[in-house]
Amino acid sequence: MTKVQDPILRAPGKTEKDRLPIAALIALFTAGFITTLTEALPAGVLPQMSHALSVSESVAGQTVTIYAVATMLTAIPVAVATTNWPRRHLLVVALVGFLVANLATAVSVNYTITMAARFVAGAASGVTWSILGGYAQRITPDALKGRAMAFAFAGTPVALALGVPVGAFLGQIVGWQVTFGLMSVLAALLILWAMWKLPNVPGQKTADRLPLRHLLRIPGLRTILVVTGVYVLAHTILYTYIAPVLAGAGLADQVQWILLTFGVASILSIWLTGLFVDRHHRRLVILSTVFFAAAAVGLALWSENAIVDYVAVSAWGLAFGGAATLFQGALMSASREHADAAQPLMVTMWNGGIGLGGLVGGILLAGLGSASLMIAVAVLVILTVIVVTFARTHAFPGPSSRF
């Protein structure tokens, strides 16, 4: 039987105190990369997918929707069912889910089978996101826990900034099926790497796990979840419908370059977050919401100006890149020893924001036009600024708080 180790129980030597477990964090980074790229890849190869599956592009686009829905529906039930599983075992099972689902997507020419495979991939995503942040912290010295989380979550902006464009390019050159097949190969390689380099930390004893109703009574937890949901809702509306927003401003030919700007700023953001999150967590949360709000207001009022658009999107990228680390860190700080049980709530709220963002944005665009999207985004993010500013006791406390 594999021996389960919990690094927290070991007293680290002096040489370990200031050192990140890079090899293990690479495994978590890549797991996040696979999770995000698997979700977003259809957007980059949608015309080819719709042709191969004999459906319209709008119908093929539901392969993204069902992924988010599966993540939202399965995160909490699966977390409860696997609460006492060793974390590496659970991550490997999720990676096997990605391997099988992406392989099935690669070989399928049937829309129903493809949708079923995407549902499996979404469920695997729920498992991965539920353990990623806690796993990174539990294998890292206390002084570097925030930096470790930033490292692990960096897979998301890298996947959006680089993975999706590269996937779209490969889809055009070698075919979209090969692109999904390569994702399966990457998942297989990661399974081997994780088994070799990732410490296997224990799960939580079932008797120690708080029921959901008790978790939600933890001071600050509901505030963190609400802020996260509203923030992601605003982000998803803007990210999903940035093309019509720019088209309405006469800048339709700038979409790809503006999205590249967002991606580069997001990567820079995750690096800066890793540098400062352990000492300035609350300040970074405030900056993230303020930068996003400023970007939304700028796009709402002056989107016809290309310079304003690029500056605003850069601010948006700087705000969003480190958001997962900041909100997960706040949740783990508030929930303490119940962090493993609380993380699925964050996954559910995050994916609820994604799913609702696509729906709300579509309704606003069809009913009121592209200008209404930016007004909605600005109002939502300004609300997060207000809540974060005043939630300084439990949800987003000052420097005395520790992860």
Side-chain angles (χ1 to χ4, degrees), residues 88 93 119 123 201 204 209 261 276 283 323 335 344-345 363 365 376:
R88 187 176 66 196
V93 169
F119 188 92
V201 300
Q204 186 179 29
R209 187 183 183 95
T261 301
F276 298 111
R283 291 175 183 173
S335 54
L345 298 176
I363 292 172
L365 181 63

Side-chain angles (χ1 to χ4, degrees), residues 64-348:
V64 177
T65 303
I66 197 170
Y67 185 103
V69 169
T71 303
M72 183 175 63
L73 292 179
T74 60
I76 294 175
V78 171
V80 171
T82 59
T83 187
N84 58 355
W85 284 32
R87 300 295 91 176
R88 187 176 66 196
H89 294 176
L90 188 55
L91 181 61
V92 167
V93 169
L95 293 173
V96 170
F98 284 121
L99 190 159
V100 172
N102 282 324
L103 186 60
T105 303
V107 301
S108 171
V109 291
N110 180 280
Y111 181 72
T112 302
I113 293 175
T114 300
M115 290 292 279
R118 294 290 295 173
F119 188 92
V120 171
S125 168
V127 174
T128 304
W129 287 127
S130 293
I131 65 175
L132 204 61
Y135 209 150
Q137 288 200 358
R138 294 180 69 184
I139 61 176
T140 306
D142 287 345
L144 298 173
K145 289 185 182 298
R147 189 171 300 181
M149 283 185 63
F151 194 121
F153 285 126
T156 293
V158 171
L160 292 175
L162 302 178
V164 174
V166 170
F169 175 76
L170 289 175
Q172 293 176 351
I173 301 300
V174 299
W176 70 272
Q177 294 96 334
V178 174
T179 306
F180 277 97
L182 290 173
M183 291 293 294
S184 289
V185 172
L186 180 59
L189 293 174
L190 179 55
I191 289 170
L192 296 176
W193 181 264
M195 295 298 292
W196 182 29
K197 293 292 187 180
L198 198 56
N200 198 15
V201 300
Q204 186 179 29
K205 294 179 181 179
T206 304
D208 295 335
R209 187 183 183 95
L210 280 180
L212 178 61
R213 63 182 182 278
H214 292 158
L215 278 173
L216 292 174
R217 293 174 187 168
I218 294 174
L221 197 64
R222 284 175 294 183
T223 301
I224 295 166
L225 292 172
V226 170
V227 168
T228 301
V230 173
Y231 188 101
V232 175
L233 170 61
H235 164 78
T236 304
I237 292 172
L238 180 53
Y239 191 85
T240 304
Y241 298 101
I242 187 67
V245 167
L246 293 175
L251 297 169
D253 59 337
Q254 299 288 313
V255 173
Q256 68 272 29
W257 300 112
I258 285 179
L259 287 178
L260 178 62
T261 301
F262 170 82
V264 172
S266 294
I267 294 174
L268 176 61
S269 172
I270 200 72
W271 177 70
L272 291 171
T273 301
L275 286 180
F276 298 111
V277 66
D278 289 300
R279 291 170 292 162
H280 304 288
H281 182 253
R282 174 175 169 77
R283 291 175 183 173
L284 289 179
V285 175
I286 292 174
L287 283 175
S288 176
T289 56
V290 168
F291 272 39
F292 194 0
V297 170
L299 289 170
L301 297 179
W302 302 291
S303 60
E304 296 84 359
N305 187 311
I307 295 176
V308 171
D309 289 335
Y310 278 97
V311 173
V313 168
S314 297
W316 170 33
L318 287 172
F320 184 76
T325 299
L326 297 173
F327 293 138
Q328 282 271 16
L331 177 129
M332 297 182 75
S333 181
S335 54
R336 301 292 182 177
E337 67 271 18
H338 303 293
D340 280 354
Q343 283 184 83
L345 298 176
M346 174 69 76
V347 175
T348 301

